[in-house]
Amino acid sequence: MARITLDHIRHAYGPNPKSEADYALREVDHEWNDGGAYALLGPSGCGKTTLLNIISGLLHPSHGRILFDGQDVTNLTTQARNIAQVFQFPVIYDTMTVYDNLAFPLRNRGVPEPEVDRRVRDMLEIIDLSGWAKRKAQRLTADQKQKISLGRGLVRNDVNAILFDEPLTVIDPQMKWVLRSQLKRLHKQFGFTMVYVTHDQTEALTFADKVVVMYDGQIVQIGTPAELFERPSHTFVGYFIGSPGMNVMPATLDGQTVSVGGETLSLDYAPKVAPSDKVELGIRPEFIRIGREGMPVSISRVDDIGRQKIVRASFAGQPIAIVAKEDAEIPAEARVTFDPAAISIYANSWRVGREG
Ligand code: ADP
Ligand code: MG
């Protein structure tokens, strides 16, 4: 297992990149802990696969270095990096049996046959294919094949890291849940460094200790699910995490006073922003209280979603979402208050902390 250092990584697929827009990865400079379970979360095209392939060695970055436990591996092959990678679609040997597919990475490394047998049988249990061991892989369905791919990634216990690139895309929803729990259990048991790519926030938040949110070729935040929820570093994290996402409204600042449209609110600190910055106020729908007190809103619709209501309204000329309890009374002349501790101020889309 290894600590992974991404040392000023940039990547452009085309030759002679000129502007930032030519880079699929703009600048990634982070260290990931040994034994951590990381989810790489972001919309399609934001650079997740590019980053994963740079870590595994399938892709050589245009700039920067990759280190495993402090050792430069930038010019090493995937094999030499000792990485297991599971792709979005099955990569297996069709003409081999299910058993031999799983045994292959172990036999390849000279693991003694009794040990191979023990581990392959364990893995067959985990991926629920024990009854299929002697079948040729080509006869299997797409999701069974993908389970073999997962098994091949997980069967070795000597890897530096296991990388998953949206591995459950072809798996049906019920099995998805089962496999995700198995992955989590295996991670606890063996403690390997895991990087799991997904565009699904539920998958990321349930799987990982740390979620790495990517947007437009950059990592915009690395945090625990709670940190992403409570203090989104970038407005994108605010929108992307949560359902509905964070309310983000154009604002102006004057010391500790922030204004949205004609409404003003007092902060308990003075965010430092430059006069030319685009300033926005962010507040999650869960931290807006609706009732008879506070600032006026005009409600456009209320959706009952079981234990909560989602209220859509217009506040100071801006559309907002509010999450209210299922038994909350919503008056006709409704007013709202914002929990001051839950307000974030953004300058050019980045959160301005208390420290400035
Ligand atoms: P994700 O996995 O988040 O969907 P990718 O890393 O696959 O994103 O892609 C990031 C960007 O790089 C996209 O704009 C994509 O079109 C581009 N890209 C990916 N692979 C290649 C390639 N082989 N050649 C050129 N451009 C590519
Ligand atoms: Mg991808």
Side-chain angles (χ1 to χ4, degrees):
M1 312 300 148
R3 179 179 87 237
I4 300 173
T5 310
L6 306 164
D7 178 16
H8 296 89
I9 301 286
R10 285 161 71 73
H11 188 72
Y13 282 99
N16 311 319
K18 288 182 184 66
S19 70
E20 287 297 298
D22 295 333
Y23 284 88
L25 277 186
R26 290 202 269 158
E27 169 93 22
V28 174
D29 190 42
H30 281 287
E31 188 157 283
W32 295 357
N33 296 332
D34 186 14
Y38 290 89
L40 219 51
L41 174 67
S44 179
C46 71
K48 303 180 297 293
T49 296
T50 303
L51 182 56
L52 207 68
N53 289 345
I54 286 174
I55 296 171
S56 69
L58 289 176
L59 203 59
H60 192 277
S62 318
H63 306 274
R65 300 184 309 157
I66 318 288
L67 298 96
F68 287 0
D69 285 334
Q71 199 197 337
D72 190 341
V73 299
T74 319
N75 295 313
L76 297 186
T77 61
T78 304
Q79 182 108 5
R81 290 183 196 194
N82 203 12
I83 290 255
Q85 189 165 3
V86 181
F87 301 90
Q88 196 164 2
F89 299 102
V91 180
I92 57 170
Y93 299 105
D94 263 343
T95 55
M96 284 187 191
T97 62
V98 172
Y99 185 103
D100 287 340
N101 262 286
L102 295 174
F104 189 81
L106 299 173
R107 289 176 175 153
N108 219 4
R109 303 227 146 209
V111 174
E113 206 55 30
E115 173 74 9
V116 170
D117 189 59
R118 197 181 57 74
R119 286 215 238 144
V120 169
R121 287 182 191 286
D122 278 356
M123 195 45 65
L124 284 165
E125 285 281 311
I126 288 168
I127 59 177
D128 198 22
L129 287 180
S130 293
W132 300 76
K134 296 206 171 71
R135 302 284 191 98
K136 285 267 198 303
Q138 67 201 19
R139 298 283 162 82
L140 272 56
T141 61
D143 71 333
Q144 286 174 322
K145 288 184 182 179
Q146 184 62 356
K147 287 199 264 174
I148 301 174
S149 287
L150 271 171
R152 280 163 43 98
L154 292 165
V155 78
R156 286 170 55 198
N157 57 12
D158 62 341
V159 290
N160 275 321
I162 306 187
L163 312 181
F164 301 92
D165 195 351
E166 314 218 22
L168 305 183
T169 309
V170 294
I171 308 272
D172 74 74
Q174 172 57 22
M175 193 62 203
K176 240 184 203 163
W177 190 85
V178 173
L179 286 175
R180 216 189 306 142
S181 316
Q182 294 278 28
L183 284 181
K184 228 175 150 161
R185 193 176 60 74
L186 287 170
H187 177 257
K188 284 221 177 79
Q189 190 175 345
F190 296 115
F192 30 64
T193 308
M194 256 181 171
V195 183
Y196 187 103
V197 168
T198 178
H199 61 267
D200 176 341
Q201 60 161 308
T202 314
E203 204 162 287
L205 298 172
T206 54
F207 169 78
D209 332 316
K210 283 282 177 74
V211 179
V212 179
V213 185
M214 291 188 69
Y215 170 63
D216 197 17
Q218 282 180 292
I219 291 178
V220 285
Q221 188 166 7
I222 299 185
T224 61
E227 285 163 352
L228 300 178
F229 185 77
E230 287 161 16
R231 287 179 300 282
S233 298
H234 189 280
T235 50
F236 176 76
V237 180
Y239 298 129
F240 200 65
I241 307 277
S243 179
M246 184 178 233
N247 299 296
V248 179
M249 302 170 256
T252 53
L253 256 180
D254 181 9
Q256 298 195 185
T257 304
V258 58
S259 309
V260 176
E263 301 295 338
T264 60
L265 296 96
S266 303
L267 303 171
D268 59 1
Y269 70 111
K272 287 202 189 75
V273 303
S276 60
D277 286 349
K278 177 186 76 176
V279 176
E280 289 164 302
L281 178 151
I283 182 144
R284 290 206 176 270
E286 291 81 357
F287 299 111
I288 300 179
R289 184 181 298 255
I290 189 160
R292 296 181 192 282
E293 276 163 39
M295 305 168 288
V297 285
S298 91
I299 294 172
S300 46
R301 72 182 274 179
V302 179
D303 291 314
D304 231 308
I305 54 157
R307 296 170 59 189
Q308 292 171 324
K309 287 176 182 161
I310 296 181
V311 182
R312 308 277 174 182
S314 167
F315 164 78
Q318 299 293 320
I320 60 166
I322 302 157
V323 172
K325 295 211 175 74
E326 65 179 326
D327 56 359
E329 185 219 348
I330 297 170
E333 302 277 297
R335 290 175 168 266
V336 292
T337 49
F338 294 179
D339 175 356
I343 294 175
S344 290
I345 299 298
Y346 295 92
N348 302 326
S349 306
W350 293 94
R351 189 171 190 272
V352 186
R354 279 158 195 275
E355 49 305 322

